[in-house]
Amino acid sequence: MKVVVKKKEAPLSVTIDTEYIKLQDAMKLANAVGSGGEAKVLIQDGQVSVNGEVCTMRGKKLRPGDTFACHGQSYLIAARS
């Protein structure tokens, strides 16, 4: 029996200057998608998770410490210090 262990990569940081950022805007800021339309489709199709749970709300407010994932990559929202 062969066991395959996948390394979990650290999330990429997305730095914001505001109290929160909407999910689709965070995806665009992180260059996870090429356009807001692409973000909309991915979110509505249930291909995006927020803090480990599938999220279908484009306007979901993400605050520093929240994470989102799409296309197999995770992103961490961070406040500019």
Side-chain angles (χ1 to χ4, degrees):
M1 183 169 143
K2 194 174 194 179
V3 176
V4 177
V5 177
K6 281 190 172 181
K7 270 188 168 179
K8 192 170 186 180
E9 293 185 29
L12 298 176
S13 184
V14 178
T15 305
I16 61 173
D17 294 320
T18 56
E19 178 184 348
Y20 66 86
I21 187 169
K22 292 181 181 179
L23 176 56
Q24 78 172 25
D25 295 334
M27 292 173 69
K28 290 189 296 185
L29 181 62
N31 290 319
V33 293
S35 68
E38 183 181 352
K40 175 183 175 180
V41 170
L42 288 174
I43 294 166
Q44 289 179 339
D45 285 350
Q47 297 182 39
V48 179
S49 64
V50 173
N51 296 326
E53 296 184 14
V54 173
C55 181
T56 57
M57 298 181 297
R58 291 183 319 179
K60 172 78 174 163
K61 293 178 181 177
L62 303 179
R63 292 179 166 77
D66 287 337
T67 61
F68 71 92
C70 66
H71 297 306
Q73 177 63 56
S74 60
Y75 302 86
L76 172 67
I77 305 299
R80 188 171 310 275
S81 50

